[in-house]
Amino acid sequence: MKNLLKPIALTIVIILIIVGLPQCNKMKIVTSTTDATNLVSYLEKYPDTYSEFIKVLEKSGTASFMNAYGTYTMFAPTNDAIQGYLQDLGKSSLDDISADDLKTMVRYHVLEDTISTPSFTDGKLPVPTMHGEYLITGINNENGVSRYIVNRRAIILQPNIHTGNGILHSIDHVLIPSSKSLYQRIKENPNYSIFTEALEATGLNTVIQKLTYKNDTTPNWYTVLAQSNAVYAAQKIYSFNDLKAKYTKPNANIQDPKDSLNLYVAYHILTGLKFTADLVVSPAQETLAPQEVITTVLKEEKVLLNYETANGVTDSALINRPVSDIACTNGVLHDVNNNLYIKVRNPTAVYWDVAEQPEIMKLTSIFRKGGKTVTFQVGDLKDVTWNAGTVEYFCNNPGAKDLFYWNDRLALAILKPAVGSANMNWIEFTTPLIIKGRYKVWICWRSNANTNGFGMQTWIDGYLMPRLFSFGDYNYGKTLPETDVQAQGWKRYYVGASTADHMASKLIGTVEITTTGRHKIKFITTEASGQKNSSWLDMIHFIPEGANQFSPKFATDGSIVY
C-alpha cells in the first residue's frame, strides 16, 4: 500500500544505514555456493564449527526435516556460540536441555523462505521464524568494520551460504526467543514507571499482559509506543498524579474507555505488529483510541510520529531506534522522545498499490522481482475477495513498456455477468487506513484492448460511485496536452512519456469517508459486451477533495516525483 510517505521502500532504511552512515566501511555482500546437497550436509562438512548445532538438530528430532527438499533460511550458531549459551544457562552440555526446548531453539533459527542479506531490513525480516516470531536485523559497526547483526545479539560471521534446500548464515550467538510480554517489558523498566502506572490505573495493562487470540490460530498483536519519565519531565509531569491532573477531571472513572486519560493511554497502543520498517509503510496507524490515528513519516533515517508544522513551529515524536523494535511475546515495543497526544486529523492522501498484499509481500523471491509471477485462488488473500476465477501477481522486467508503479500489478480474470457465475465478475478489496473526510477516487490501470466494453461499477462501503470505467479504455488523450486530459477527468499518474496511452487513470467520483479506518471497495462488471481477458490493476488513489489531484506521479522503480 502506498501513500505520500511511500517514496520509501521497506528496504530504504537499511540502505541508508549501510551506505550512508559516516566513518563506516562500505559493506560487502558475500555470497558463496557449496556442493552440499542440503543445510545439514553443509553443517556436517565442518564439525569443528557446527558439531554442537548438529547435536541440537539430532536431539530435537529436527535433522530429518532440515534434510528434506524445501526453501529454508537457517541462522546456524557456531560451537563457541552454543558453549556461551550453555554457560549463560549454567548448563554443562546439551544433554542438560530437554528435546522440546532444543526443538524451540531450532524453530527460532529457521525461516521457511530463502532470505539473503540484500533482503535484510533495518527491522524485522519479511517472514517469521518457524517459532512464529520475527527476527530483527541491523548493522553492527565496530573498529571501522560493518557486519550484520540479528536480534541485536548475534553477529553474522559468514552470510549467504547457498545449499540445495536453502541459505545458511553462520552466527556467533544463539538467538533467544522473547520470553516477556509487552506489559512485563514495560513494568520491569524503571524509566517507564509513570507510563506503567497509567497502564495499570486505566486497566489497559490487561490488554498487553499476555498473548491472546482472535480464534484458535490468529494472535492479537499490539505495538506500544512507550514514553519515559524523562519525556514526561520535559512536559513538567513528574508523577502519575501529574499526568492524571493534566488529562482527566477530578474523581473521573479513568477505566471508562471514554475518559480522556484512558483515551490518552489507549492512543499509545497500536493494533497489529508494527516494527520500524512497518511504521513507515502507511501514513497513519490505528490505535486503541477509537477513530484516532498516529501519523508516520520518514525524514532521512528518522521515523517521526505526528509530524506537523504550524506557524513555523514543527512538532513530532521521534522513534528512539536504538531502544525500539523490542520483540515481545505479544507484540513489539518502541520508545518515543516526545509526548504523544490525540490531535485533530485532516484527510490525508493515500496512494495505494493494490499489489502490496501481505501474502504477496512475504514471497520475497517473487515480490517485486522482475519476471516473477504467482496465481491466487479464491480465499488465498485475506484482504481481497472475489466470486470465482483467479488473481495473478506479476512483476515486469525492468525496461518493459508498461509503466506500473514498482513494475508490478494484479491481473484480474474478469468476465461479464452473462457468461456465468463460474467466472469472476466482481472483486472486493479492503483498503489501507483512510482518515475520515471527503476524497476524490482515481482508478489506475494498464488498458487491454481485448477487454474493451467491460463497464465497471465501483462501490465504496456500499456507495455506488457515479462514473463507470473500463479496463479496455485505450488511447485516452494520446494527442492531448496534460491540461485537456485532466479537464476530462483523467490523469497521467505515471512517470514516462505522455504517449504511453496504455496506462490509464480515471476519476470515478467523490466519496465521504465517515470513519477513520479500513474500508471496502468493490468492482462489479456491467452487462456490456466483451470477452474474457486479464484486466491489469495498478493503483487506487484516495485524494482529499481540495488537494492537488495530479501530483505526485509514480515510477517503475518505486520513486515518486512531485
Side-chain angles (χ1 to χ4, degrees), residues 163-177:
T163 72
N165 66 339
I167 295 176
L168 183 141
H169 304 288
S170 178
I171 55 177
D172 72 344
H173 280 77
V174 171
L175 303 174
I176 301 174

Side-chain angles (χ1 to χ4, degrees), residues 301-347:
E301 76 278 10
K302 297 177 181 178
V303 180
L304 301 175
L305 309 177
N306 287 350
Y307 179 87
E308 61 181 28
T309 300
N311 299 320
V313 179
T314 298
D315 182 39
S316 67
L318 172 74
I319 295 284
N320 290 323
R321 292 174 61 187
V323 288
S324 294
D325 277 336
I326 306 300
C328 303
T329 57
N330 58 340
V332 60
L333 176 64
H334 299 291
D335 180 272
V336 296
N337 79 337
N338 202 354
N339 189 35
L340 284 173
Y341 55 93
I342 296 173
K343 295 185 175 184
V344 175
R345 293 292 173 202
N346 296 316

Side-chain angles (χ1 to χ4, degrees), residues 251-527:
N251 303 318
N253 177 12
I254 61 177
Q255 294 203 351
D256 182 348
K258 296 180 181 179
D259 174 75
S260 54
L261 178 61
N262 193 291
L263 288 169
Y264 168 84
V265 178
Y267 191 63
H268 290 72
I269 305 175
L270 310 181
T271 56
L273 196 64
K274 306 289 179 65
F275 289 84
T276 302
D278 301 308
L279 290 173
V280 300
V281 172
S282 175
Q285 312 296 329
E286 290 182 272
T287 73
L288 292 191
Q291 300 297 311
E292 301 297 344
V293 299
I294 290 174
T295 59
T296 53
V297 65
L298 188 63
K299 295 286 187 181
E300 298 177 346
E301 76 278 10
K302 297 177 181 178
V303 180
L304 301 175
L305 309 177
N306 287 350
Y307 179 87
E308 61 181 28
T309 300
N311 299 320
V313 179
T314 298
D315 182 39
S316 67
L318 172 74
I319 295 284
N320 290 323
R321 292 174 61 187
V323 288
S324 294
D325 277 336
I326 306 300
C328 303
T329 57
N330 58 340
V332 60
L333 176 64
H334 299 291
D335 180 272
V336 296
N337 79 337
N338 202 354
N339 189 35
L340 284 173
Y341 55 93
I342 296 173
K343 295 185 175 184
V344 175
R345 293 292 173 202
N346 296 316
T348 301
V350 174
Y351 300 103
W352 175 24
D353 179 357
V354 297
E356 197 171 73
Q357 301 295 329
E359 295 85 355
I360 302 174
M361 294 172 64
K362 74 177 184 180
L363 301 175
T364 56
S365 60
I366 293 174
F367 183 59
R368 292 181 182 156
K369 300 295 190 298
K372 298 296 185 180
T373 184
V374 61
T375 299
F376 297 93
Q377 306 293 328
V378 175
D380 287 346
L381 301 176
K382 178 185 66 173
D383 293 331
V384 189
T385 58
W386 62 97
N387 64 313
T390 61
V391 170
E392 179 192 63
Y393 170 83
F394 184 76
C395 183
N396 285 331
N397 285 309
K401 72 173 183 176
D402 297 333
L403 300 176
F404 297 111
Y405 185 39
W406 280 110
N407 245 341
D408 61 2
R409 47 75 170 156
L410 294 183
L412 319 176
I414 292 181
L415 283 173
K416 64 179 183 178
V419 174
S421 60
N423 299 290
M424 181 194 298
N425 46 55
W426 64 264
I427 186 167
E428 184 176 70
F429 294 83
T430 301
T431 72
L433 187 143
I434 305 173
I435 297 173
K436 62 183 178 181
R438 286 182 63 81
Y439 292 84
K440 291 188 175 182
V441 183
W442 299 79
I443 310 300
C444 308
W445 72 94
R446 197 277 196 205
S447 58
N448 184 345
N450 290 329
T451 59
N452 193 23
F454 276 102
M456 301 296 298
Q457 294 179 339
T458 304
W459 297 77
I460 299 177
D461 292 338
Y463 171 75
L464 177 62
M465 303 300 288
R467 298 182 72 191
L468 296 176
F469 75 97
S470 169
F471 283 110
D473 283 335
Y474 201 80
N475 286 327
Y476 79 101
K478 181 174 181 179
T479 60
L480 297 177
E482 192 91 354
T483 52
D484 289 352
V485 171
Q486 296 172 1
Q488 296 178 24
W490 297 80
K491 66 177 176 178
R492 297 179 177 125
Y493 74 100
Y494 50 85
V495 175
S498 62
T499 54
D501 51 290
H502 48 279
M503 305 305 301
S505 181
K506 185 177 183 179
L507 175 64
I508 58 168
T510 301
V511 65
E512 182 80 31
I513 299 295
T514 58
T515 60
T516 297
R518 304 184 70 190
H519 298 268
K520 299 292 186 180
I521 181 167
K522 187 174 186 178
F523 302 119
I524 303 177
T525 58
T526 66
E527 291 288 348

Side-chain angles (χ1 to χ4, degrees), residues 53-111:
F53 193 54
I54 291 171
K55 291 179 185 177
V56 171
L57 294 170
E58 291 173 344
K59 184 176 179 182
S60 63
T62 55
S64 57
F65 85 79
M66 293 311 305
N67 261 322
Y69 174 78
T71 52
Y72 302 105
T73 297
M74 174 185 286
F75 293 88
T78 63
N79 291 344
D80 288 343
I82 291 181
Q83 288 301 320
Y85 173 69
L86 291 172
Q87 185 174 351
D88 290 342
L89 293 178
K91 308 290 186 182
S92 59
S93 75
L94 290 169
D95 292 333
D96 298 329
I97 302 177
S98 71
D100 284 343
D101 287 343
L102 293 179
K103 183 178 292 185
T104 297
M105 178 197 293
V106 174
R107 294 176 66 85
Y108 195 66
H109 287 74
V110 177
L111 288 66

